[in-house]
């Protein structure tokens, strides 16, 4: 019985050992799953972190580009504000001149009034002298000689009276002429003042027109998916390597395709009913770096600008209708600037890649307006 009892106690021990082995295997499996989950979570966290950092870097680049564009726009607006202040200063100067002329006219009016009073006093004296003569003729009982002498004196007084009347008539005529001259001057001054005020209003309006056109160009390029920068003057700058090979003036295919997308947007924005009346000219400019002589670069830049214009006017270019090409032909020009407008980096060194470029810009009719203003100011000064 003892042997049987001992054998019966060993069997539960074997079952208990199997149970703990199964439990340990299960815990090991759970631990492995926990490690795998932890690894997957960590790997996902690392990937998300890298994506976020990449996205933040791209946004920083975009923000820097936008800050540069805003800075350029602010610089251009400050330049136009300075031009407007200069014109306002000129207008104020002319207003001072007009005020001085008005004061001069007032002084002349005062002098004319004084002359009129003097003439009236002379006439009164003549009337008084005439009365005295008549009184003397009535009272005198004179001999023939005395009568003749009195008659001679009377004739002398009569002649003097006639001379006074002639002088009075001449003064009246002079006064009338002076009044007419004053009236003409006042009319001219009022007309010139109105012209100055009208020109000032138009110049202030043109500053707003350029800002509006620049905003419309930027919006149009964004809508069409074109990454084109429009500076504060409304000019767009294109890398010459897209258009031409080194030292060549033949348009490359990439340049033709870019012009086919870009130029119709630029032209139609400028020629919209809202903007067309203010635009005087569209200018295509070629620029080079400082490598080579000025004369060679001038010829090369001119040929490149002309190649762009020729392509846009050719039958091959189908981005514009025949009517639009006819209108563009009357206002587009090609200018070669050689190396006269180089671009420098932050350290003041020439950026040759940026200097080799093609620019498309527009000119408003403010130049003609400023010339007209100068002529008006010169006439006022005379």
């Amino acid at each position: 019985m003892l042997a049987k009892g001992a054998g019966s106690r060993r069997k539960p021990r074997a079952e208990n050992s199997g149970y703990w082995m199964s439990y340990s295997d299960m815990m090991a499996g759970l631990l492995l799953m926990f490690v795998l989950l932890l690894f997957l979570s960590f790997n996902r966290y690392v990937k998300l972190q890298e994506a976020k950092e990449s996205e933040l870097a791209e946004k920083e680049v975009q923000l820097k580009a936008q800050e540069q564009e805003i800075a350029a726009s602010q610089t251009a607006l400050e330049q136009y504000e300075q031009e407007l202040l200069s014109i306002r200063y000129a207008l104020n100067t002319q207003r001072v001149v007009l005020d001085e002329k008005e004061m001069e006219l007032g002084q002349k009016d005062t002098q004319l009034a004084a002359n009129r009073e003097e003439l009236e006093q002379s006439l009164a004296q003549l009337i008084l002298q005439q009365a005295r003569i008549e009184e003397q003729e009535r009272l005198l009982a004179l001999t023939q000689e005395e009568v003749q002498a009195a008659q001679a004196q009377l004739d002398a007084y009569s002649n003097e009276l006639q001379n006074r009347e002639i002088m009075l008539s001449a003064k009246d005529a002079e006064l009338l002429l002076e009044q007419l001259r004053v009236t003409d001057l006042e009319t001219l001054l009022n007309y010139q003042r109105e012209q100055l005020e009208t020109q000032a209003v138009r110049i202030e309006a043109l500053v707003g027109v350029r800002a509006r056109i620049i905003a419309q160009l930027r919006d149009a390029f964004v809508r069409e998916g074109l990454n084109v920068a429009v500076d504060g003057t409304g000019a767009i700058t294109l890398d010459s390597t897209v258009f031409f090979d080194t030292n060549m003036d033949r348009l490359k295919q990439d340049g033709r395709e870019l012009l086919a997308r870009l130029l119709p947007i630029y032209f139609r924005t400028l020629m919209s009913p809202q903007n067309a009346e203010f635009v005087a000219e569209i200018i295509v400019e070629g620029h080079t770096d400082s490598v080579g002589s000025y004369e060679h670069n001038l010829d090369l830049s001119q040929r490149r600008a002309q190649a762009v214009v020729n392509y846009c006017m050719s039958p091959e270019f189908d981005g514009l209708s025949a009517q639009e090409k006819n209108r563009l032909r009357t206002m587009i020009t090609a200018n070669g600037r050689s190396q006269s407008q180089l671009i420098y980096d932050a350290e003041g060194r020439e950026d040759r890649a940026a200097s080799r470029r093609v620019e498309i810009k527009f000119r408003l009719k403010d130049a003609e307006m400023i010339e007209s203003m100068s002529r008006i100011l010169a006439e006022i000064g005379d």
Side-chain angles (χ1 to χ4, degrees):
M1 290 180 67
L2 292 173
K4 183 178 180 180
S8 62
R9 286 193 297 271
R10 290 177 182 174
K11 184 175 182 180
R13 290 178 181 175
E15 291 175 356
N16 192 21
S17 175
Y19 170 76
W20 286 109
M21 289 180 65
S22 298
Y23 179 78
S24 65
D25 290 340
M26 181 182 69
M27 294 302 293
L30 290 173
L31 181 60
L32 179 60
M33 288 179 65
F34 177 76
V35 171
L36 288 175
L37 289 172
L38 184 62
F39 175 76
L40 290 174
S41 299
F42 178 77
N43 187 34
R44 184 178 179 184
Y45 171 77
V46 170
K47 289 183 178 179
L48 288 174
Q49 187 69 20
E50 290 176 350
K52 288 291 185 180
E53 291 177 351
S54 176
E55 184 179 353
L56 288 174
E58 291 178 357
K59 287 186 177 180
E60 288 179 354
V61 172
Q62 293 176 356
L63 286 174
K64 288 181 180 179
Q66 291 176 355
E67 289 175 352
Q68 291 176 354
E69 290 182 359
I70 291 173
S73 298
Q74 289 177 347
T75 301
L77 288 175
E78 290 175 355
Q79 292 176 354
Y80 279 106
E81 289 176 353
Q82 290 177 358
E83 293 176 1
L84 185 59
L85 288 175
S86 300
I87 293 173
R88 284 178 175 170
Y89 177 76
L91 291 173
N92 291 332
T93 302
Q94 293 305 316
R95 287 194 180 99
V96 171
V97 173
L98 291 174
D99 292 338
E100 291 176 353
K101 290 194 174 183
E102 288 178 351
M103 292 178 60
E104 182 179 351
L105 290 174
Q107 293 175 354
K108 288 185 176 180
D109 287 338
T110 302
Q111 185 176 0
L112 289 173
N115 291 337
R116 186 182 292 108
E117 291 178 357
E118 182 179 354
L119 291 173
E120 291 175 353
Q121 291 176 358
S122 298
L123 181 60
Q125 290 177 358
L126 289 174
I127 293 172
L128 180 60
Q129 288 177 359
Q130 182 68 26
R132 288 177 179 175
I133 291 172
E134 292 175 354
E135 182 67 18
Q136 288 176 358
E137 288 178 349
R138 187 179 62 82
L139 297 175
L140 287 176
L142 301 174
T143 63
Q144 187 65 30
E145 293 179 355
E146 290 175 340
V147 171
Q148 292 177 352
Q151 185 65 39
Q153 186 177 5
L154 181 60
D155 292 339
Y157 279 120
S158 297
N159 291 331
E160 184 179 359
L161 180 61
Q162 291 177 356
N163 291 332
R164 296 269 184 160
E165 289 177 348
I166 293 172
M167 289 178 60
L168 182 60
S169 299
K171 289 288 186 179
D172 287 338
E174 183 180 354
L175 178 62
L176 180 60
L177 290 174
E178 193 67 24
Q179 287 176 342
L180 292 174
R181 183 183 176 189
V182 170
T183 302
D184 292 340
L185 286 174
E186 288 177 348
T187 302
L188 178 61
L189 288 174
N190 291 332
Y191 172 75
Q192 291 174 344
R193 185 182 292 108
E194 291 175 357
Q195 290 293 314
L196 289 173
E197 292 175 353
T198 302
Q199 296 288 0
V201 171
R202 291 184 63 190
I203 289 174
E204 290 179 357
L206 280 177
V207 175
V209 167
R210 183 177 292 273
R212 183 186 67 224
I213 292 176
I214 292 171
Q216 291 176 352
L217 285 172
R218 289 173 177 168
D219 293 340
F221 287 137
V222 170
R223 285 196 304 270
E224 295 298 325
L226 286 173
N227 185 18
V228 178
V230 183
D231 67 12
T233 66
I236 57 178
T237 301
L238 306 172
D239 188 354
S240 65
T241 58
V242 177
F243 289 88
F244 306 100
D245 290 324
T246 302
N247 206 30
M248 301 295 291
D249 61 0
R250 181 180 178 83
L251 269 174
K252 293 164 52 175
Q253 184 61 33
D254 291 344
R256 294 169 182 261
E257 293 175 356
L258 181 57
L259 283 175
R261 297 181 61 195
L262 181 149
L263 187 66
I265 298 173
Y266 196 83
F267 175 77
R268 287 166 184 160
T269 301
L270 294 179
M271 292 297 101
S272 66
Q274 188 180 15
N275 302 325
E277 63 175 313
F278 300 101
V279 180
E281 186 179 19
I282 296 176
I283 306 165
V284 178
E285 288 186 351
H287 297 263
T288 68
D289 57 23
S290 61
V291 177
S293 67
Y294 180 88
E295 292 77 8
H296 172 76
N297 288 333
L298 179 62
D299 179 63
L300 177 62
S301 62
Q302 180 64 45
R303 286 188 282 115
R304 286 180 170 180
Q306 190 64 48
V308 172
V309 174
N310 290 342
Y311 172 67
C312 295
M313 294 290 101
S314 67
E316 181 184 355
F317 186 80
D318 57 1
L320 297 174
S321 65
Q323 184 179 2
E324 289 175 329
K325 284 184 181 180
N326 288 335
R327 188 170 188 181
L328 179 61
R329 189 175 288 108
T330 63
M331 59 192 310
I332 192 169
T333 58
N335 296 333
R337 304 307 298 271
S338 186
Q339 57 199 38
S340 62
Q341 295 182 2
L342 300 174
I343 295 179
Y344 299 91
D345 58 20
E347 297 179 357
R349 295 176 298 188
E350 178 188 352
D351 189 340
R352 290 181 176 175
S355 296
R356 298 188 295 270
R357 67 197 187 277
V358 175
E359 292 184 358
I360 301 177
K361 58 180 66 176
F362 64 88
R363 181 174 63 84
L364 296 178
K365 295 179 181 178
D366 50 0
E368 291 85 346
M369 179 172 291
I370 291 173
E371 291 178 2
S372 176
M373 176 73 73
S374 299
R375 288 195 297 269
I376 292 174
L377 296 179
E379 291 174 0
I380 294 176
D382 295 339

